[in-house]
Amino acid sequence: MSTKLCLVLFSLPCFFVAPASAFSWPSSHNYPFRSDSIAASSEPVDVSYHMGPVVTSPANIYVIWYGRWEAAPQSIIRDFLLSLSSPAPLPPPPPPSVDEWWRTARLYVDQTGSNVTGRFALAGELHDSGYSHGSSLSRLAMQSVIRSAVAATDRLPMDPRDGIYLVLTSPDVEVEDFCREVCGFHYFTFPAIVGVTMPYAWVGHSGTQCPGMCAYPFALPSYMVGGGSGGNSSSPVVGPPNGDVGADGMVSVIAHELAEMATNPLINAWYAGDDPAAPAEIADLCVGVFGTGSGGGFAGHVFRSAEGAGYNLNGVNGRRFMVQWLWDPIKKSCFGPNAMT
């Protein structure tokens, strides 16, 4: 889902029900309610291949922690990324696991029939706690943040062959259209700015700025019945699995963007629709779908801890996560490993 700007970059808009990537920044996160998910819709969905590359080689994930981050939310996000990493940790997490969730993304192939990779490594992290580009960023500024990260003294490597870059902004950083139209977006770097073409994504921490817009189902807008955060038996709000509305919400947005980067890194591979400036990608089609029966403000049937926290995936270090489903090209519906049927 995207926005009408001069540049075409893919983003995950927040909170409207709009066609995926319907703005101009590709691949946006549109939280949270598709009242009747496309999985249950009678409207045909044609996710087709447009002949571009997908990420088939083992991928190196490089994280730029932009702004001032506390250790606890970093640990939640880091453990999710490590849960994607290969080889699998021993002992492996119990099902349903993050690895099982990623198997849906792996069903997508390139022109040679090669599947999306199932091998990831958290290959590098850089802390930009000095706000190198200020505390208010445009969307395009994310590329300059990456350029600075690969040029810094303690820099990340420039890895155009296997690298995937994540710019994660702290709760106090304002980003263009954040909380109004987007919660995250993905695209690729411009050689004129960074020097090479590499897939990247930005995701913002919404814990203080707009949890009701970008951290669904752990918070709802104040105008909705049951708005707020936390979770009780009469509210559609679900308790965050790791006790942090902002970081737990970021995990699902990060998962969304990673799935779309892997299947549509140059915005010319897998998506629905005829316009690459406004594609519906494999995560866009399932925004707000976390379990069987989702719709109308209900995230779907998920697991609950004794404390009432919701989750649908298990990860490393005993972590639990709540991550939206992806479009399954074989089932022709949204799917996740916690599906009841």
Side-chain angles (χ1 to χ4, degrees), residues 5-324:
L5 296 175
C6 297
L7 290 171
V8 179
L9 300 182
F10 279 68
S11 30
L12 181 81
C14 41
F15 236 89
F16 332 122
V17 180
S21 299
F23 304 93
S24 307
W25 285 71
S27 195
S28 52
H29 207 112
N30 184 24
Y31 265 178
F33 301 126
R34 301 193 103 121
S35 59
D36 291 307
S37 74
I38 293 178
S41 173
S42 60
E43 297 180 10
V45 175
D46 181 21
V47 177
S48 57
Y49 182 49
H50 296 79
M51 307 308 289
V54 304
V55 178
T56 57
S57 300
N60 295 322
I61 299 175
Y62 301 101
V63 179
I64 301 167
W65 302 98
Y66 191 90
R68 294 191 182 130
W69 280 86
E70 296 181 357
Q74 285 183 305
S75 180
I76 293 169
I77 294 167
R78 187 179 293 113
D79 280 349
F80 174 74
L81 297 175
L82 289 171
S83 298
L84 280 171
S85 300
S86 185
L90 295 174
S97 66
V98 173
D99 174 69
E100 289 175 295
W101 168 81
W102 187 256
R103 290 176 194 173
T104 300
R106 295 211 66 208
L107 295 173
Y108 292 85
V109 299
D110 66 8
Q111 295 184 53
T112 70
S114 298
N115 295 81
V116 164
T117 185
R119 295 178 61 86
F120 293 89
L122 182 53
E125 301 178 55
L126 183 138
H127 294 79
D128 192 340
S129 57
Y131 303 84
S132 63
H133 294 270
S135 60
S136 181
L137 302 174
S138 68
R139 296 197 193 193
L140 188 59
M142 300 304 165
Q143 299 202 28
S144 296
V145 169
I146 294 171
R147 179 194 62 202
S148 296
V150 299
T153 302
D154 54 345
R155 66 180 185 171
L156 296 178
M158 188 178 288
D159 187 358
R161 175 181 170 84
D162 299 316
I164 289 176
Y165 293 77
L166 293 178
V167 180
L168 307 179
T169 50
S170 59
D172 59 329
V173 176
E174 296 182 357
V175 175
E176 178 185 6
D177 296 324
F178 184 35
C179 297
R180 293 176 298 278
E181 294 175 351
V182 297
C183 303
F185 68 79
H186 79 91
Y187 204 52
F188 52 85
T189 60
F190 301 154
I193 297 176
V194 180
V196 295
T197 298
M198 305 183 292
Y200 75 96
W202 157 77
V203 177
H205 190 296
S206 64
T208 57
Q209 294 189 48
C210 56
M213 302 299 275
C214 293
Y216 173 81
F218 311 127
L220 299 177
S222 58
Y223 63 81
M224 296 193 66
V225 176
S229 61
N232 59 59
S233 59
S234 62
S235 170
V237 177
V238 175
N242 299 290
D244 188 320
V245 169
D248 280 313
M250 283 188 80
V251 165
S252 189
V253 184
I254 290 168
H256 175 119
E257 300 303 342
L258 284 174
E260 294 183 343
M261 273 200 293
T263 55
N264 196 28
L266 301 184
I267 322 303
N268 60 359
W270 287 97
Y271 59 86
D274 298 324
D275 183 0
E281 299 176 280
I282 71 164
D284 292 328
L285 296 172
C286 304
V287 166
V289 180
F290 295 84
T292 302
S294 67
F298 176 53
H301 292 281
V302 298
F303 303 108
R304 298 281 187 136
S305 70
E307 298 75 29
Y311 67 98
N312 61 3
L313 298 178
N314 294 296
V316 300
N317 298 323
R319 291 282 191 192
R320 291 168 171 172
F321 303 106
M322 185 89 151
V323 170
Q324 68 151 94

